Amino acid sequence: MSVFCVFTFFLFLQEWYHAAETPWLWRRMCLQRWSFCNISQLLSDTGTHSWKGYYLRRFHLEMKMKSGTSCEDYTCKSLRGHEGNVSCKVIGFAYLAGNDGCSDVWKSVPLVCSASTDGTVKAWDIQEGVNLWSSPVQSPLQNIIVDPVQSVIVTSDSTGTIKTWKGSTGEEVASFESGLSTITLLLFNDKSSSFLMVGSIQGLLVLTCPALSEVSRHAIFDSFWANLLLSSPDKKWILATSKENNDLSPKVFYSETLRNPVENEESLCQSLPVTGCCAAVFLPSQNARVAVIHTDGLFNNKTISVFDLTIKETKYMKKPEAQQVASFQLQLCHRSDLILEARGSNILLVVDGNYLKVYTLKGELVANFEDHIQPITALCVDSFRVVTASRDLSLRVLTWRNDKQHGLSLESQYHLLGGSHTRSRGFTNVSCDFSSIVASVDSVDGKDVLKAYTFDF
């Protein structure tokens, strides 16, 4: 009898082992855990990388990112690209290539491009901490954005010159003279082409990208700079507004009429029924749902309103409509600039001084984090984590947790330090991909530094 039990148990273990090695089990576990990623296109039962290998590698990486318990988990490199007495303020940076968690975690090499007041664009391999190329010197740069799909970088300088650059070599592709010293840039990609939206005191200018050929011009506000431009996840809407005047209403444009203008016809545009926009964001899991923080000018009187954007079509015309789906009052403690980000279809994150507050669309405050002792200057949000950058020269990493009983929640995990306060005034910006974090440091000597934190696989 005992021999029979042992034999039966052995058969059970053998069957369990074979079941654990079947691709369908690991495939199901991958798709359940990372349902927001289209990883089925990356892996196959017979491909170079198995479902089991992907699950174990990514699970291990997530656990390291979540814990941050060992200094060996993170490798920190200071990217300093300027020598001598040259003053260099980093005005912006962005990932040209990275690992978004839905791509091949075996092959992705994070590449970051930065722009500075010394008039140069630089590309960095942040895994190795080396400068790959640097553009020729020009007027002090003011804006930088990247198009990873086309591997193109777009910059603007203090003279209003807009340029595009090849991401692989730093070679200049095209140049456009806007004639304006202060502008805002937004890249817009649809299925077949790319466009550059340029916001200024003259309104909205639409250019092709990377050729920078003019497509259309549109008036927005008289005498006020359109300094906030956003595009909706479904690529059908462009939000443009100015934060310079509390009497102005944000405007949403139907993007088709901007990209393909018809002669003697105005673009389709709708003003949102609020004024005094302080910040705005499109919710990433909705086609065209936008949240706006607005005010009447009083410090304590700020409201979040949420709108769904649609097009009402009749036999003879199309008309944009904005339907309000939520609105609630914000309880703020500080007078610093507000930062607004979103997660999924129902979560809004608001930076209030050194506080990070998490709200639902119903206005419920579900979390309030005070992990910094000085104001938060930047916020990076993705489907796995949130990273805050602060003037206290630290980054705080928080991770999302999806509980069947309590739903989506945010958990504070650990700090990453940025150096010495004797040499730095704090972090000014932060960005991240799935396996690395990059942040800019405001240096006392005027020579700003990029700090790159990468996980060792």
Side-chain angles (χ1 to χ4, degrees):
M1 187 70 176
S2 60
V3 174
F4 176 77
C5 291
V6 170
F7 180 72
T8 303
F9 181 68
F10 173 76
L11 290 178
F12 170 78
L13 289 178
Q14 191 175 38
E15 291 295 324
W16 183 88
Y17 173 80
H18 288 309
E21 292 300 311
T22 55
W24 69 264
L25 175 63
W26 293 100
R27 181 180 186 276
R28 183 178 180 183
M29 292 170 63
C30 285
L31 296 179
Q32 283 182 339
R33 186 175 182 89
W34 301 293
S35 59
F36 51 84
C37 290
N38 195 15
I39 56 177
S40 58
Q41 294 183 355
L42 301 172
L43 304 172
S44 65
D45 297 342
T46 59
T48 305
H49 303 302
S50 66
W51 290 97
K52 178 182 177 181
Y54 182 90
Y55 184 94
L56 294 177
R57 188 176 182 86
R58 182 164 177 176
F59 179 82
H60 175 66
L61 179 59
E62 283 192 358
M63 291 301 100
K64 292 180 75 175
M65 284 193 294
K66 185 173 181 178
S67 64
T69 53
S70 170
C71 294
E72 296 177 356
D73 287 348
Y74 258 119
T75 299
C76 177
K77 293 182 173 65
S78 295
L79 311 180
R80 189 185 290 269
H82 305 272
E83 304 296 336
N85 296 319
V86 178
S87 177
C88 168
K89 307 298 290 183
V90 175
I91 56 91
F93 60 91
Y95 279 85
L96 182 65
N99 181 356
D100 61 4
C102 304
S103 57
D104 194 334
V105 297
W106 285 269
K107 295 181 179 179
S108 181
V109 177
L111 301 179
V112 168
C113 293
S114 63
S116 310
T117 56
D118 69 349
T120 62
V121 183
K122 294 184 181 295
W124 306 90
D125 178 339
I126 63 172
Q127 195 78 41
E128 300 297 328
V130 296
N131 179 216
L132 301 177
W133 55 257
S134 182
S135 72
V137 176
Q138 55 193 311
S139 298
L141 295 174
Q142 293 189 339
N143 292 287
I144 181 172
I145 52 177
V146 301
D147 183 353
V149 176
Q150 296 190 99
S151 189
V152 169
I153 302 113
V154 186
T155 61
S156 66
D157 64 25
S158 58
T159 68
T161 301
I162 302 170
K163 290 185 178 182
T164 51
W165 313 83
K166 286 185 179 180
S168 57
T169 62
E171 178 186 353
E172 182 179 324
V173 178
S175 179
F176 182 91
E177 299 294 336
S178 71
L180 299 163
S181 59
T182 306
I183 58 178
T184 304
L185 303 179
L186 172 70
L187 270 171
F188 182 93
N189 297 95
D190 62 14
K191 295 180 180 179
S192 59
S193 53
S194 297
F195 297 87
L196 179 66
M197 309 291 175
V198 182
S200 70
I201 197 171
Q202 295 180 353
L204 187 62
L205 169 65
V206 183
L207 305 173
T208 60
C209 188
L212 300 182
S213 301
E214 184 172 333
V215 177
S216 60
R217 291 177 181 261
H218 309 269
I220 305 179
F221 308 113
D222 292 333
S223 304
F224 291 100
W225 168 32
N227 54 9
L228 178 59
L229 300 177
L230 300 171
S231 64
S232 63
D234 65 3
K235 305 300 182 181
K236 292 183 178 180
W237 300 94
I238 299 293
L239 180 141
T241 191
S242 176
K243 296 187 285 185
E244 295 183 328
N245 190 305
N246 289 330
D247 295 327
L248 300 177
S249 296
K251 293 186 177 183
V252 286
F253 291 85
Y254 193 55
S255 64
E256 177 67 24
T257 60
L258 299 179
R259 295 177 286 122
N260 299 299
V262 178
E263 190 174 358
N264 298 324
E265 288 189 14
E266 293 185 356
S267 58
L268 294 181
C269 176
Q270 174 70 36
S271 294
L272 298 182
V274 297
T275 58
C277 176
C278 305
V281 66
F282 279 96
L283 279 80
S285 295
Q286 295 288 326
N287 286 335
R289 174 170 289 179
V290 63
V292 179
I293 299 180
H294 52 99
T295 180
D296 60 3
L298 299 177
F299 163 67
N300 288 324
N301 196 9
K302 288 184 172 63
T303 303
I304 291 185
S305 296
V306 184
F307 302 92
D308 282 340
L309 308 178
T310 57
I311 280 286
K312 183 179 180 181
E313 296 190 42
T314 65
K315 185 177 181 180
Y316 302 103
M317 62 179 294
K318 294 181 179 180
K319 181 182 179 182
E321 292 189 344
Q323 180 183 0
Q324 183 171 305
V325 295
S327 184
F328 58 92
Q329 195 83 12
L330 282 178
Q331 302 298 323
L332 301 178
C333 306
H334 298 82
R335 293 183 178 273
S336 56
D337 292 339
L338 292 173
I339 302 174
L340 176 64
E341 293 291 345
R343 165 69 156 84
S345 60
N346 188 48
I347 297 295
L348 297 173
L349 299 97
V350 179
V351 169
D352 175 20
N354 59 321
Y355 290 91
L356 174 63
K357 300 180 178 182
V358 184
Y359 292 91
T360 67
L361 289 193
K362 295 181 180 180
E364 178 187 2
L365 180 63
V366 295
N368 188 11
F369 299 97
E370 191 182 4
D371 294 317
H372 296 284
I373 58 175
Q374 291 189 33
I376 297 171
T377 55
L379 179 66
C380 183
V381 180
D382 61 26
S383 57
F384 176 69
R385 65 184 169 184
V386 173
V387 182
T388 57
S390 171
R391 283 288 175 187
D392 62 16
L393 204 53
S394 74
L395 305 175
R396 187 69 182 179
V397 178
L398 308 93
T399 56
W400 295 105
R401 178 182 179 184
N402 201 349
D403 186 89
K404 290 183 178 180
Q405 182 177 358
H406 301 98
L408 193 65
S409 61
L410 191 61
E411 299 178 340
S412 185
Q413 301 294 350
Y414 54 90
H415 270 104
L416 296 170
L417 302 180
S420 169
H421 275 285
T422 60
R423 301 179 60 183
S424 307
R425 298 187 183 94
F427 283 112
T428 56
N429 202 358
V430 65
S431 185
C432 60
D433 71 351
F434 189 72
S435 59
S436 63
I437 299 172
V438 178
S440 54
V441 176
D442 182 12
S443 297
V444 174
D445 63 3
K447 301 175 185 178
D448 289 359
V449 178
L450 290 181
K451 293 282 186 177
Y453 304 82
T454 56
F455 278 104
D456 299 326
F457 283 93

